[in-house]
Amino acid sequence: MHRSWGGIVAGSLFVLPSLFILIALSWVYIAFGQLPLVAGGPDAAQPGFGPALIDDDSPTPVHARFSRERLVRVLVVGLALWGAAMGCLLATVGANGTLAQMGWFFTKAALLTFGG
């Protein structure tokens, strides 16, 4: 993901919320057709590279297609890893230990923000 120097400067100088920075940068983009000092982008493409390996007409690769079995495997492995880590914390420092409390706090934060 590319970062805009305009957003970094505005955020650090004026301590503006991200939403206002994004709105201001979108106005700049609408007015000038590009964001200031953004590396890359469509204009950075050089001629002669040939066709893209994956384009709009390419079929979805097998590993990227939805599968209920893969979803269940990922959920089971993820829950097992989380459970093992929390179980170790609870066994070593107890439920009132600082690390266990931090683990529970960040678990709730990750679930609240949908993906942490």
Side-chain angles (χ1 to χ4, degrees), residues 4-5 14 23 33 41 69-70 74-75 78 115-116:
S4 165
W5 286 105
F14 304 113
I23 290 171
E69 294 80 21
R70 187 162 194 268
V74 168
L75 286 174

Side-chain angles (χ1 to χ4, degrees), residues 52-112:
L53 295 175
I54 298 176
D55 57 10
D56 291 339
D57 298 324
S58 298
T60 304
V62 176
H63 71 276
R65 293 185 193 140
F66 177 77
S67 164
R68 288 186 192 274
E69 294 80 21
R70 187 162 194 268
L71 173 65
V72 169
R73 278 196 316 257
V74 168
L75 286 174
V76 167
V77 169
L79 288 172
L81 289 171
W82 172 82
M86 285 301 291
C88 287
L89 283 174
L90 291 174
T92 56
V93 298
N96 292 327
T98 302
L99 289 177
Q101 290 294 314
M102 287 173 61
W104 183 240
F105 170 79
F106 285 111
T107 296
K108 292 187 289 185
L111 292 174
L112 177 70

